[in-house]
Amino acid sequence: MARIYAPTSPEVSRRETQNMEIVRRIAAEGMVLLENNGILPLKADGRALAVYGNGVRHMVKGGTGSGDVNSRTVVNIEQGLEDTGFTISTKDWLDRFDAACTENGAQYMAQFQAVLQEKGWEGVNWALENPFRDPDVPVIIPEDMNGTQKDLALYVIARTSGEGADRKLSGGDYELSEREMENLKVLTANYDHTVVILNVGGVIDTKFLREQKGIDAILLMSQPGCAGGLSAADVLTGKVTPGGHLTTTWAQNYSDYPCADSFSYLSGNLDDYVYREGIYVGYRYFDSFNIQPAYPFGFGRTYTDFDLNVVRTQIHGEEIQVSVCVKNIGDQYSGREVVQVYVSQPQGKLDKPYQVLAGFAATGELKPGQEETVTVVFSLRDLASYDEEQAAYLLEKGSYYVRVGTHSRDTHIAAVLELDETIVTQQLQNKVRPDIEINVLHAQPENFYSYLSEKAEKAAAPKLEIIPSTIPTRTADYTVKSEELHTDRADTVTLADVLNGKASLDDLTAQLSVPELAALTVGASRGGFGGISTVGAASNSVPGAAGDTNSDLAESRGITNVVLADGPAGLRLSKSFVSDGQGNVIPGLGESAFGNLFDLLGVPQAERPENAVDHYQYCTAIPIATLLAQTWNPAAIEEAGDLVGAEMEELGVTLWLAPGMNIHRNPLCGRNFEYYSEDPLVSGVCAAADTRGVQRHPGRGTTIKHFALNNQEDNRAHSNSHCTERALREIYLKGFEIAIRTSQPLSLMTSYNLVNGIHAANHPELLTDILRCEWGFRGLVMTDWGTTEARDGFKYGCSNAALCVKAGNDLTMPGSQEDVDAIIGAVGKELTLAQLQRCAGRVLEMVLLRAQTEQK
């Protein structure tokens, strides 16, 4: 019988109340003010507000799919404004939109039910690929505006997206719908001022908003979690001064992005994705090809003004320190600023972008007239570029210009670092060569973005000399132990023996048979990804969790399960469930993490026994990863991780299947909201902060994902991502490397796709040579759910469970009997016993960690 952790009281807990306040504060910190002509902040004077738009009541707290979280309470925009003291004078229009949503929802559910009846569990994939979206908004007519105060209108634009499908380059998604533009024209013609609030998880086309006269402010509230309406109200009224900065470039036109035509479905080829832009992603591209963005990387306005003064730039061996004094020179509002340090590398054998982010630091809250000196520290090693010919990272000789600013188009030169000879900082081996020829994009320095004073700044910059001897070459060791484990123990070793110091984990692993070892490297499900038990009822102790490790050896060896839970924006669990008097969970009773899905599938509902006990798992929906990153504040992100870690501890979850940290390669990726940034440094720093917060709690860990090149959702399970090794290492793997080196997450999840012709889950060079030998990763590697599930009709097939083990992918999820059989059948052929023991041993390490935590 599994231990049940969830409380039995339905009352709002102290933890829920405290966490709502934390989320409210962090979300407000990450909201970005894009435009403001002085209309904001609003006076919280209890006035009546005219508020329109699809996000007023139907605010999107976070994306769909595994990124969703089932909170008890979600405070929308209407509620947040009313809680602040305003009244809403446009409820009739909002009621009309509610009615349209209800009708549209009923039609969608009828269609979904028909698909389920036809396809069974496979119909769930249809829902992922065709998520429910609210209908277009009603036209705003004169009667809607009657009786409203005509000095101000608010308009909330909401967008949703999620796993399984990329966004559409059309109205109502990336672009505004015709109805939205018509309504905004009506508002700007009838109200003195209009404020637009963007409740979106990623970039949208803002051309109309920037050009339409009468739109006087644009606030990117993003998707802020369960207290989002309160957070937005705090920023709108100046209770919180906006201090968020973008972590992705917002283009003037979609066509400005380097992979605009070749991304996902727009290429006409969902089988092969070719990363022709190479290293020129995001601001690296816009700056290097002198394309003016609508809103640059790192951009954000506030209600006050700041002055930045570089105090000093110092070099200590391979470490650079840039100290900057930041002063609030406004006279009314407090605020915080983000100091961003970029470096322009010298052109040489390898072409380089105009500049790359080297480090950043946020100030505290500064009152008018107050100042603070922050120091940004980074390593010269981080400025090295990967040379595929030498299979090495090079610091090429020349001038390295250090730039300081508050966004990528606001940087000025503070110093120049001079290097007289090229240094090999790391000697590696090429491990992820492309499987096709790729004609990558190259930039020419004469076409770089520039500004009037740049040449003079270069001439006047103080010079610092880089001493090559202070940066010795590091050489990777790719040696992997290949010996089988043996033990001379004649008695049956149990996990309790290991816990009590009577035996080693190697003793336990060595005693296990091949079938037992194989079972440990496959998740607890034996029905595959299409089984009813796979999702929503995958855990016996934490209903709604994504899955468990295998516990078949619980009785004979004391090897219990580890619980894995979804939700990059919090824990996705069933809100409530029911157990019998003996502590056994009764499937089908309570409020599932997936609503009435099992009813729609025709799964019979169990009867409620007389001795039934109700349990409650209300979790906190934190802001999406992009909003967290927009704080540029690792301490705030660590606090969000700490919040999740505490809920994991309370509810019995060991591994959180988050954070997602793929790069924002293109704004149409359906899961960009789950990811931090277009920049690998920002992504790595944020994921490390999240991990530190979660792993403050003993026995709880993060699962950084999706490793690697999972930058689109359409046909994600059967696509092949083709990328140069340089771009892979400098852009798409770098964030993972930073997170691992600085926070050592307990686990990592591989992606569905192929990487240069090899499934990520079957890629030994990625999962062993780079991940473990180069970076020193010590944790567990697992697959994404169903990566070994065979499907017909695709150019590229599925991954193989035996090859997962061979590659160093320790755990195949959610598991099937076919996976177990494949592994058993491969031992002594393409798979060695030692390889199987290593993977099973890492699963056992996670089980042991959980057991040690329970023991305490």
Side-chain angles (χ1 to χ4, degrees):
M1 181 178 66
R3 174 183 172 184
I4 294 177
Y5 296 81
T8 56
S9 171
E11 301 300 318
V12 176
S13 67
R14 181 182 178 188
R15 181 260 299 167
E16 289 178 81
T17 302
Q18 291 175 336
N19 287 355
M20 283 282 283
E21 287 303 310
I22 294 171
V23 167
R24 176 179 184 172
R25 172 169 44 80
I26 293 174
E29 188 174 337
M31 293 181 181
V32 181
L33 185 63
L34 297 176
E35 301 286 355
N36 186 29
N37 69 356
I39 189 64
L40 296 180
L42 307 176
K43 290 183 179 180
D45 53 9
R47 58 175 293 169
L49 287 176
V51 188
Y52 305 88
N54 64 336
V56 180
R57 288 179 179 168
H58 297 260
M59 183 195 78
V60 181
K61 72 180 188 303
T64 62
S66 63
D68 199 7
V69 177
N70 298 299
S71 295
R72 183 197 298 259
T73 303
V74 177
V75 181
N76 64 27
I77 303 293
E78 180 182 35
Q79 294 164 328
L81 291 171
E82 290 178 335
D83 186 81
T84 306
F86 296 107
T87 58
I88 306 301
S89 58
T90 50
K91 288 184 179 288
D92 287 346
W93 186 91
L94 296 172
D95 289 342
R96 288 216 317 278
F97 182 57
D98 280 350
C101 290
T102 299
E103 180 180 354
N104 202 57
Q107 293 172 355
Y108 177 86
M109 289 306 297
Q111 185 178 8
F112 182 33
Q113 190 164 9
V115 172
L116 288 174
Q117 289 175 351
E118 177 186 350
K119 299 184 178 181
W121 185 261
E122 279 295 312
V124 176
N125 288 322
W126 177 89
L128 287 174
E129 295 165 2
N130 301 274
F132 171 74
R133 301 185 191 281
D134 288 332
D136 208 351
V137 289
V139 174
I140 298 174
I141 57 178
E143 288 77 7
D144 296 320
M145 297 180 286
N146 288 342
T148 65
Q149 296 184 34
K150 296 300 191 298
D151 60 333
L152 175 68
L154 304 184
Y155 197 91
V156 185
I157 297 172
R159 295 290 187 267
T160 190
S161 64
E163 69 172 314
D166 289 316
R167 295 174 58 197
K168 301 304 180 185
L169 186 61
S170 58
D173 197 340
Y174 182 80
E175 299 171 348
L176 300 188
S177 70
E178 291 294 330
R179 186 71 57 78
E180 286 172 329
M181 290 188 283
E182 290 171 14
N183 280 346
L184 284 166
K185 288 177 181 177
V186 169
L187 295 185
T188 55
N190 288 275
Y191 292 86
D192 297 337
H193 304 284
T194 300
V195 174
V196 173
I197 302 167
L198 302 180
N199 174 213
V200 298
V203 179
I204 67 168
D205 189 336
T206 58
K207 191 184 298 89
F208 175 86
L209 303 178
R210 288 179 281 111
E211 294 176 352
Q212 180 65 27
K213 291 183 179 181
I215 295 179
D216 297 309
I218 305 173
L219 175 66
L220 172 61
M221 69 172 288
S222 190
Q223 293 173 346
C226 56
L230 297 169
S231 305
D234 289 342
V235 172
L236 289 168
T237 60
K239 181 178 180 180
V240 174
T241 299
H245 289 251
L246 297 176
T247 58
T248 289
T249 303
W250 286 47
Q252 296 206 45
N253 305 286
Y254 173 76
S255 59
D256 291 340
Y257 290 102
C259 58
D261 294 335
S262 61
F263 180 77
S264 188
Y265 59 90
L266 294 173
S267 69
N269 178 3
L270 291 177
D271 298 319
D272 295 275
Y273 297 135
V274 184
Y275 289 53
R276 299 190 193 282
E277 68 277 10
I279 62 170
Y280 295 101
V281 178
Y283 69 90
R284 287 170 167 82
Y285 173 76
F286 283 81
D287 292 346
S288 301
F289 289 83
N290 196 19
I291 297 172
Q292 181 64 38
Y295 301 109
F297 173 83
F299 176 83
R301 301 183 190 275
T302 186
Y303 295 152
T304 187
D305 294 297
F306 294 95
D307 178 66
L308 273 62
N309 178 40
V310 178
V311 178
R312 71 183 70 87
T313 302
Q314 296 176 304
I315 183 168
H316 298 284
E318 65 180 58
E319 185 178 273
I320 305 298
Q321 298 178 356
V322 183
S323 297
V324 181
C325 179
V326 183
K327 184 175 182 179
N328 183 344
I329 58 174
D331 58 9
Q332 187 172 3
Y333 296 103
S334 298
R336 49 184 294 276
E337 184 57 285
V338 177
V339 175
Q340 301 168 33
V341 176
Y342 298 76
V343 174
S344 293
Q345 305 148 297
Q347 304 299 313
K349 178 182 180 181
L350 304 173
D351 61 318
K352 319 290 196 311
Y354 171 74
Q355 62 183 353
V356 297
L357 183 70
F360 58 89
T363 69
E365 190 80 9
L366 300 179
K367 298 177 181 178
Q370 191 175 5
E371 63 184 40
E372 178 184 347
T373 297
V374 299
T375 299
V376 177
V377 180
F378 59 93
S379 172
L380 286 166
R381 290 182 182 274
D382 298 332
L383 303 179
S385 303
Y386 189 76
D387 178 22
E388 295 173 353
E389 184 180 359
Q390 291 183 235
Y393 276 101
L394 306 182
L395 267 179
E396 295 202 79
K397 66 179 181 180
S399 301
Y400 291 76
Y401 290 98
V402 179
R403 302 172 179 271
V404 176
T406 57
H407 60 77
S408 63
R409 289 297 175 96
D410 174 48
T411 64
H412 295 277
I413 296 170
V416 58
L417 313 174
E418 297 289 358
L419 178 61
D420 292 336
E421 64 183 72
T422 295
I423 301 171
V424 176
T425 63
Q426 270 189 294
Q427 185 59 60
L428 306 173
Q429 295 175 10
N430 288 323
K431 294 293 181 180
V432 280
R433 297 175 190 238
D435 56 330
I436 63 171
E437 184 177 348
I438 303 175
N439 296 316
V440 294
L441 196 63
H442 293 283
Q444 302 300 324
E446 59 267 25
N447 297 326
F448 281 178
Y449 157 79
S450 186
Y451 51 95
L452 288 176
S453 63
E454 184 171 24
K455 187 174 181 180
E457 289 176 8
K458 286 183 175 181
K463 291 181 171 60
L464 295 94
E465 183 182 359
I466 299 172
I467 308 300
S469 61
T470 63
I471 311 174
T473 302
R474 297 171 180 169
T475 302
D477 180 4
Y478 296 102
T479 305
V480 177
K481 292 182 180 180
S482 58
E483 299 84 8
E484 293 180 9
L485 296 176
H486 298 281
T487 181
D488 54 5
R489 296 286 297 259
D491 58 324
T492 299
V493 177
T494 66
L495 192 71
D497 293 329
V498 180
L499 272 170
N500 296 325
K502 297 178 181 179
S504 70
L505 199 61
D506 283 354
D507 288 330
L508 175 56
T509 306
Q511 282 194 349
L512 297 180
S513 66
V514 167
E516 290 172 329
L517 292 166
L520 281 173
T521 62
V522 174
S525 173
R526 289 296 174 261
F529 195 47
I532 295 296
S533 65
T534 301
V535 183
S539 173
N540 291 325
S541 57
V542 187
D548 286 1
T549 57
N550 188 275
S551 57
D552 288 351
L553 299 178
E555 189 172 329
S556 61
R557 298 277 187 171
I559 299 173
T560 53
N561 64 312
V562 166
V563 178
L564 299 75
D566 252 328
L571 299 178
R572 184 177 66 167
L573 305 175
S574 296
K575 288 185 178 180
S576 64
F577 63 92
V578 178
S579 69
D580 61 21
Q582 287 73 48
N584 299 302
V585 174
I586 305 172
L589 298 184
E591 191 172 355
S592 167
F594 294 86
N596 66 337
L597 175 60
F598 298 113
D599 292 338
L600 294 175
L601 285 166
V603 179
Q605 188 174 49
E607 292 187 11
R608 182 182 177 94
E610 291 184 3
N611 59 355
V613 178
D614 291 292
H615 302 264
Y616 302 90
Q617 299 182 126
Y618 293 109
C619 300
T620 306
I622 65 174
I624 61 171
T626 304
L627 188 152
L628 291 177
Q630 287 170 182
T631 67
W632 294 68
N633 184 356
I637 300 170
E638 188 168 332
E639 186 178 12
D642 180 36
L643 179 160
V644 174
E647 294 189 350
M648 294 168 68
E649 201 167 3
E650 176 184 333
L651 298 173
V653 174
T654 303
L655 293 177
W656 183 36
L657 304 180
M661 51 184 306
N662 295 102
I663 292 295
H664 292 176
R665 178 183 176 229
N666 183 286
L668 298 184
C669 174
R671 295 181 85 171
N672 273 353
F673 70 94
E674 291 189 37
Y675 309 142
Y676 296 111
S677 176
E678 69 187 21
D679 182 78
L681 174 65
V682 172
S683 298
V685 169
C686 290
D690 220 344
T691 295
R692 285 193 297 272
V694 169
Q695 293 182 184
R696 286 183 194 175
H697 302 268
R700 318 295 157 179
T702 60
T703 306
I704 57 176
K705 64 181 187 182
H706 308 87
F707 193 71
L709 293 184
N710 184 182
N711 301 101
Q712 57 282 316
E713 285 300 296
D714 284 4
N715 195 32
R716 57 180 176 163
H718 301 281
S719 60
N720 189 359
S721 296
H722 308 277
C723 185
T724 65
E725 183 140 359
R726 182 185 179 191
L728 255 167
R729 287 183 177 274
E730 290 188 23
I731 304 295
Y732 299 101
L733 300 184
K734 182 60 71 174
F736 288 95
E737 179 182 3
I738 292 168
I740 287 166
R741 290 188 185 277
T742 59
S743 69
Q744 200 57 240
L746 287 187
S747 63
L748 172 145
M749 182 189 292
T750 52
S751 55
Y752 287 113
N753 55 281
L754 290 79
V755 175
N756 288 336
I758 303 173
H759 275 283
N762 293 162
H763 208 307
E765 291 80 12
L766 266 179
L767 305 185
T768 297
D769 294 345
I770 292 178
L771 188 62
R772 297 191 186 277
C773 297
E774 291 184 15
W775 302 348
F777 181 63
R778 301 191 298 271
L780 175 81
V781 177
M782 71 179 76
T783 69
D784 206 336
W785 266 232
T787 186
T788 57
E789 291 284 325
R791 280 183 171 183
D792 297 327
F794 294 94
K795 177 178 178 180
Y796 299 106
C798 59
S799 62
N800 178 280
L803 295 181
C804 284
V805 173
K806 184 176 183 178
N809 192 119
D810 309 303
L811 182 62
T812 298
M813 292 300 295
S816 69
Q817 188 58 49
E818 288 79 7
D819 292 333
V820 177
D821 294 342
I823 294 169
I824 294 171
V827 176
K829 299 173 184 175
E830 64 262 45
L831 182 63
T832 67
L833 177 60
Q835 290 169 330
L836 180 56
Q837 287 177 328
R838 274 202 306 274
C839 288
R842 286 192 280 260
V843 176
L844 287 173
E845 286 174 359
M846 200 62 61
V847 175
L848 179 64
L849 180 63
R850 178 184 174 98
Q852 288 170 334
T853 305
E854 299 291 339
Q855 194 177 55
K856 294 175 182 178

